[in-house]
Amino acid sequence: MAKKPKILCVDDEQDILDLLTFNLEKEGYDVCTALNGRKGLEVAKRELPDLIILDVMMPEMDGMETCREIREIPALQSVVITFLTARNEDYSQIAGFEAGADDFITKPIRQRLLISKIKALLRRSAPSDVKKEMSIGGIEIDREKYLVTKDGVHIQLPKKEFELLVLLSSAPGRVFTRENILNSIWGNDVIVGDRTIDVHIRKLREKLGDENFKTIKGVGYKFEA
Amino acid sequence: MAKKPKILCVDDEQDILDLLTFNLEKEGYDVCTALNGRKGLEVAKRELPDLIILDVMMPEMDGMETCREIREIPALQSVVITFLTARNEDYSQIAGFEAGADDFITKPIRQRLLISKIKALLRRSAPSDVKKEMSIGGIEIDREKYLVTKDGVHIQLPKKEFELLVLLSSAPGRVFTRENILNSIWGNDVIVGDRTIDVHIRKLREKLGDENFKTIKGVGYKFEA
DNA sequence: GCCTAAGGTTAACCTAAAGTTAAGTTTTCT
DNA sequence: AGAAAACTTAACTTTAGGTTAACCTTAGGC
């Protein structure tokens, strides 16, 4: 079997954390916890869990805010986040989905339902193991050092170009649609013209070789060796 | 932009269907409806929607049963299904997840919440798409990479041809009618001549081998190894 | 075995999408 | 503040690929 999925639970009540931990560990998940939003963010960065359960109501930094900040972190972009809310808080669900939540669990927690939901959510999400450095076809990319080397020569790329390269190279061969690209580099809300992407692609092609960046007309772009 | 996502709503109350249709169409979705489970199954087979909203309580064939039967159909295995339930029916949610549901929407329907949920579900399901690669009779199809390999040789197919191949190969051996094909690749509203499909089929036969694409005269086409 | 309708073939045409360039704008750095 | 670098936009060109129309072939009912 694959590695145990890791779940981070964030709630300000220790009782709830215990309850979640007990039930989730019984199901074979690897559980970690945090008592508030800020700590949750820290733990999330360190542990890179597969799923995060966030209480909406927390002192200091609430679930919404935590969720938004988590979504800012590139390594956690694809993590599944579900909120924990009191029943009948529909209005908060709307804001929640907009903050980047994937689902909601209502209190009081029904154990069987909790497990079913978690399973359904994890079933849908793909495993995400991202390496810090990579080398494909003479091109080396070091995401942490913000450095690109082609045939042994360092190339300093501007931010947007670098982000685009990182995105495309995160799954070599995979096609990213313009929508994909806009969402992950510019964010859902920012609107930039379509030609902007082309221009950045052009720059990359100029600097790193035409042949590595393929256009799939009507679909998007992909990076290949 | 990508093709409009297609949503099938199944409920025995016309009022609810109208409400759903109105709200979803306003958001730019392609909506179709059915008044009971059995009809829902029929429409689902014909239209191959991206998401299905099923009322749990329906005469004749209830939501659970419909859901189970939908999951039996290969072409619909990865469709997102959400149930429509009365509030406080948690017990039915457990059974629902086990029947293959992805989420629940509670009545009375809150419009903003409905839309948020639908968006979140479609967003989540889009990239996963369950199986990304498949291999039938020497032909490998990788949806992510938008890449087809025949006997070890990469073949780059144009968008429409690729979509057609993906559709036909999603249920090898099954016959897709021209109507099926038009509905799922071009969408309900777009109208293209009949010969257009033939031309794309021809291209596929040229590139991937005549023998794999069978014509059933008067009915449609099927893909076989 | 003929006739008809469904399907096959081809090449010309058309269009939406991507490429290109240069001119603004914004940001960053000294 | 001023200059340089990065980013975005706009206007224009190019092109892949989608569609069509006109004609040809074939299956299968009679």
Side-chain angles (χ1 to χ4, degrees):
Chain A
M1 202 194 102
K3 197 172 60 68
K4 282 196 274 186
K6 189 181 289 181
I7 299 177
L8 166 62
C9 306
V10 187
D11 199 305
D12 58 319
E13 292 169 68
Q14 186 63 48
D15 288 353
I16 302 269
L17 287 183
D18 291 344
L19 177 72
L20 288 170
T21 306
F22 174 76
N23 279 292
L24 294 172
E25 283 187 343
K26 201 175 60 184
E27 284 295 314
Y29 296 111
D30 194 352
V31 181
C32 47
T33 60
L35 273 162
N36 64 54
R38 198 157 305 283
K39 277 188 191 158
L41 196 59
E42 252 170 55
V43 179
K45 269 189 219 168
R46 193 176 65 239
E47 299 283 339
L48 302 176
D50 303 289
L51 187 146
I52 301 176
I53 300 175
L54 277 178
D55 193 2
V56 173
M57 304 278 270
M58 284 186 295
E60 214 184 313
M61 185 157 90
D62 74 9
M64 297 289 170
E65 186 49 29
T66 312
C67 179
R68 245 175 251 115
E69 299 217 8
I70 287 169
R71 288 282 185 232
E72 297 285 307
I73 301 166
L76 291 171
Q77 222 130 61
S78 69
V79 73
V80 179
I81 299 179
T82 99
F83 279 133
L84 214 52
T85 61
R87 195 169 290 282
N88 295 329
E89 284 187 8
D90 279 3
Y91 60 91
S92 74
Q93 295 206 10
I94 294 163
F97 281 118
E98 268 152 23
D102 293 294
D103 207 344
F104 283 81
I105 292 170
T106 51
K107 290 193 224 178
I109 296 165
R110 305 284 187 106
Q111 304 181 7
R112 291 258 299 155
L113 181 58
L114 169 76
I115 300 300
S116 297
K117 276 209 165 185
I118 300 284
K119 274 188 190 160
L121 284 167
L122 285 174
R123 172 168 23 108
R124 292 233 153 239
S125 82
S128 61
D129 56 296
V130 212
K131 276 184 203 156
K132 299 282 182 303
E133 318 160 23
M134 59 182 323
S135 173
I136 302 164
I139 298 174
E140 284 166 59
I141 302 165
D142 189 323
R143 297 176 206 220
E144 284 196 328
K145 294 183 183 158
Y146 219 83
L147 196 67
V148 179
T149 312
K150 159 136 184 153
D151 303 326
V153 186
H154 292 321
I155 298 171
Q156 186 62 51
L157 290 182
K159 191 172 159 218
K160 280 271 156 28
E161 281 165 51
F162 188 79
E163 284 173 359
L164 183 53
L165 176 63
V166 166
L167 177 67
L168 293 181
S169 67
S170 72
R174 163 168 171 182
V175 181
F176 291 82
T177 65
R178 290 180 123 73
E179 206 192 353
N180 283 161
I181 296 173
L182 286 176
N183 279 343
S184 31
I185 299 189
W186 280 266
N188 265 315
D189 36 2
V190 189
I191 27 163
V192 287
D194 253 13
R195 294 284 71 67
T196 302
I197 296 176
D198 303 45
V199 173
H200 288 296
I201 288 280
R202 191 184 166 282
K203 298 262 181 68
L204 284 176
R205 282 177 167 154
E206 220 167 50
K207 291 172 187 168
L208 299 172
D210 214 11
E211 62 286 359
N212 296 308
F213 301 89
K214 269 204 152 185
T215 304
I216 315 295
K217 211 171 167 157
V219 188
Y221 295 96
K222 69 171 159 178
F223 175 79
E224 272 184 330
Chain B
M1 201 194 97
K3 196 171 64 69
K4 282 195 272 185
K6 189 181 288 182
I7 299 177
L8 166 61
C9 306
V10 186
D11 199 305
D12 58 317
E13 290 170 68
Q14 185 64 48
D15 287 356
I16 302 269
L17 288 182
D18 291 345
L19 179 72
L20 288 170
T21 305
F22 174 76
N23 280 291
L24 294 171
E25 282 187 343
K26 203 174 58 187
E27 285 297 314
Y29 296 109
D30 195 351
V31 181
C32 45
T33 60
L35 274 162
N36 63 56
R38 197 156 306 281
K39 277 187 192 159
L41 197 59
E42 251 169 57
V43 179
K45 272 189 217 167
R46 192 175 69 239
E47 300 281 342
L48 306 175
D50 302 291
L51 186 147
I52 301 177
I53 300 175
L54 276 180
D55 194 1
V56 173
M57 304 277 270
M58 283 187 296
E60 218 186 310
M61 186 157 93
D62 73 7
M64 296 289 170
E65 185 50 28
T66 311
C67 180
R68 247 175 250 116
E69 299 216 9
I70 287 169
R71 287 284 185 230
E72 298 286 308
I73 301 167
L76 292 171
Q77 221 126 63
S78 69
V79 72
V80 179
I81 299 178
T82 100
F83 278 132
L84 212 53
T85 61
R87 195 170 290 282
N88 295 328
E89 288 186 8
D90 279 4
Y91 62 91
S92 74
Q93 295 205 11
I94 294 165
F97 280 117
E98 269 152 22
D102 294 293
D103 205 347
F104 282 82
I105 292 168
T106 51
K107 292 192 218 179
I109 296 164
R110 305 284 189 106
Q111 304 182 8
R112 290 261 298 158
L113 180 58
L114 170 77
I115 299 300
S116 296
K117 275 208 165 184
I118 300 284
K119 272 188 192 158
L121 284 167
L122 287 173
R123 167 170 24 106
R124 208 196 307 149
S125 80
S128 80
D129 231 357
V130 182
K131 261 189 206 163
K132 281 153 197 157
E133 317 161 24
M134 59 180 321
S135 173
I136 303 165
I139 299 175
E140 284 166 58
I141 302 167
D142 190 322
R143 298 184 206 207
E144 268 203 341
K145 297 186 179 166
Y146 234 84
L147 191 70
V148 179
T149 311
K150 157 138 184 153
D151 303 327
V153 187
H154 293 321
I155 300 170
Q156 186 69 56
L157 291 182
K159 194 178 167 204
K160 279 271 155 34
E161 281 165 52
F162 190 81
E163 285 174 357
L164 182 53
L165 175 63
V166 166
L167 177 67
L168 293 181
S169 67
S170 72
R174 158 168 175 189
V175 182
F176 289 82
T177 65
R178 290 180 124 73
E179 200 193 358
N180 279 160
I181 296 173
L182 286 176
N183 277 342
S184 33
I185 299 189
W186 279 267
N188 265 318
D189 35 2
V190 188
I191 26 163
V192 287
D194 253 15
R195 293 285 70 69
T196 302
I197 296 176
D198 304 44
V199 172
H200 288 300
I201 289 280
R202 193 192 163 275
K203 299 258 183 71
L204 284 176
R205 284 177 167 155
E206 212 170 52
K207 290 172 187 168
L208 299 172
D210 216 11
E211 63 285 1
N212 296 308
F213 301 89
K214 275 204 153 183
T215 303
I216 315 298
K217 207 168 169 164
V219 188
Y221 295 96
K222 69 170 163 176
F223 175 80
E224 273 183 331

